Amino acid sequence: MQIAIRRWLLLFVTIGSLILGACSTPPVASLNASDRSTGATTTQANNPQGSNLPKLEGKATVVLKVKGAPITIEVDGTNAPITAGNFVDLVQRGVYNGTMFHRVVRQPQPFVVQGGDPQGKDPKVPADSLGTGSFIDPDTSQVRYIPLEIKPKDGEEPLYSETFDKAGISKPPVLKHTRGAVAMARSSAPDSASAQFYFALADLSFLDGNYAVFGYVTEGMDIVDKIQIRDRIDSAEVIQGGENLKK
């Protein structure tokens, strides 16, 4: 029992270091990542439906290749249209190609593999310097942030810009942090997600209602289990459902 308690305490410290340590500068994106800007919340916070953001109306299938091995993700735009739409749009733009996985936490318990920082394309940027990058929309020259979007079980619409705790929601989300879940990383600001995402290496129910899951690994979880810090995404491709993306 004492060993189990020590392991969970270590896990708590690990989570805290991810959330707090990465946010020593003003926020943006990470289970946590931080950003050098001072306002992660933008007009999306006032317009939580994100009318100016890509949306995925339905589902799509994305294949990431890491060291030549495929990881297949079913992206769920039915229950997370903005979050899923943002991810599929970034895949189609080639944003993730060549980016590095900069955070891998497997001890004391399996936790997450995190990547997607656009700065990770640059081989000169070390992994320990990543976690602060976001997607800059070339059309606006501004960082694209998306609102926190989590749909409660039996809910008709997702909750935007609030965690379940803050909104007083006791029901679980439709998209849970089970092993193989793919979710958006963010800072302490709820509307600070941009490009960084993570794979859940185990069932992480304590993250439910706080971070936005938008899909699940359907094939290649054994590849995810082998990812190490500094491994790169060779390519990311939408192989099905791309027509469901509405810009």
Side-chain angles (χ1 to χ4, degrees):
M1 177 64 73
Q2 289 181 342
I3 293 174
I5 291 173
R6 289 194 196 101
R7 285 179 176 174
W8 281 109
L9 284 173
L10 285 170
L11 179 59
F12 179 78
V13 171
T14 300
I15 296 169
S17 68
L18 289 175
I19 294 174
L20 301 176
C23 292
S24 58
T25 53
V28 158
S30 184
L31 165 68
N32 276 52
S34 58
D35 181 46
R36 296 181 177 84
S37 69
T38 57
T41 53
T42 62
T43 54
Q44 268 86 282
N46 298 321
N47 181 18
Q49 300 307 313
S51 60
N52 59 327
L53 295 171
K55 293 183 181 180
L56 187 69
E57 298 178 355
K59 295 187 177 182
T61 303
V62 169
V63 174
L64 305 183
K65 287 189 177 180
V66 179
K67 293 185 175 180
I71 300 167
T72 303
I73 302 169
E74 183 182 80
V75 184
D76 190 345
T78 301
N79 294 298
I82 294 175
T83 313
N86 177 70
F87 182 75
V88 170
D89 180 55
L90 297 186
V91 168
Q92 290 186 340
R93 290 173 180 265
V95 170
Y96 295 123
N97 297 343
T99 56
M100 182 190 299
F101 289 100
H102 63 275
R103 180 171 293 140
V104 176
V105 182
R106 293 194 174 94
Q107 298 295 332
Q109 299 286 347
F111 186 39
V112 300
V113 169
Q114 184 174 326
D117 186 335
Q119 298 177 112
K121 286 178 178 282
D122 187 346
K124 297 179 181 179
V125 177
D128 58 7
S129 296
L130 298 177
T132 62
S134 301
F135 169 64
I136 298 176
D137 191 328
D139 296 331
T140 64
S141 298
Q142 300 294 320
V143 173
R144 178 202 285 173
Y145 298 112
I146 60 173
L148 180 63
E149 176 186 52
I150 310 175
K151 186 177 181 180
K153 185 178 180 180
D154 301 325
E156 293 184 3
E157 299 290 339
L159 173 71
Y160 288 94
S161 302
E162 287 186 297
T163 63
F164 278 20
D165 286 343
K166 185 174 181 179
I169 295 176
S170 58
K171 291 183 178 181
V174 175
L175 303 179
K176 298 180 180 180
H177 280 82
T178 55
R179 172 172 158 80
V182 190
M184 291 303 292
R186 64 172 180 84
S187 72
S188 57
D191 295 343
S192 58
S194 180
Q196 294 182 49
F197 66 92
Y198 59 90
F199 295 108
L201 296 178
D203 293 350
L204 306 173
S205 59
F206 51 89
L207 297 180
D208 288 343
N210 291 289
Y211 292 86
V213 174
F214 61 87
Y216 295 90
V217 174
T218 57
E219 292 182 53
M221 194 60 198
D222 58 321
I223 306 304
V224 176
D225 287 333
K226 296 175 183 176
I227 291 174
Q228 302 294 327
I229 291 177
R230 297 182 181 84
D231 283 350
R232 294 184 180 275
I233 297 174
D234 301 328
S235 63
E237 181 183 4
V238 181
I239 64 168
Q240 187 175 347
E243 70 278 3
N244 294 329
L245 182 65
K246 310 300 179 184
K247 299 185 180 182

